[in-house]
Amino acid sequence: MARRLRRRPPANHAQRAEWMRTHPFEWLEVSTYPATYSAHTIARGIRTGDRIEFARHYGPAGAFETRTTSTEDGTTVHARFIGEAVNG
């Protein structure tokens, strides 16, 4: 019988991007996605600052770095800001 995955609330990308901008080079868990392709799509959007709704918070392109890891619940996306820190 298939294992039922626990549903997580959607990631607050605006909040996560702001935190990373004020804590440059520190990795932050963005969210865990049950489907690997979803996690990779999110990670790519963060790196490129695509014009996808969630990714607009991560511009300009190249300002963020991402990594993905497999977990029991799916694939987790971590990101960090590698541009200049924004003074809050």
Side-chain angles (χ1 to χ4, degrees):
M1 188 146 117
R3 176 178 98 219
R4 187 175 190 150
L5 296 177
R6 155 177 59 109
R7 181 156 170 87
R8 292 177 148 214
N12 182 332
H13 290 283
Q15 182 182 50
R16 284 171 171 73
E18 180 61 29
W19 186 92
M20 287 184 271
R21 286 180 190 282
T22 59
H23 298 87
F25 302 103
E26 291 186 40
W27 289 101
L28 178 67
E29 181 180 316
V30 175
S31 193
T32 299
Y33 301 89
T36 301
Y37 67 86
S38 296
H40 288 279
T41 298
I42 297 293
R44 184 181 66 245
I46 291 170
R47 285 192 313 274
T48 63
D50 281 343
R51 296 182 188 262
I52 303 168
E53 178 64 26
F54 78 87
R56 64 188 169 90
H57 304 290
Y58 299 103
F64 290 85
E65 183 175 51
T66 61
R67 67 182 180 202
T68 58
T69 54
S70 295
T71 65
E72 273 187 21
D73 295 330
T75 303
T76 301
V77 176
H78 289 85
R80 67 180 179 173
F81 182 68
I82 58 174
E84 290 185 23
V86 176
N87 293 327

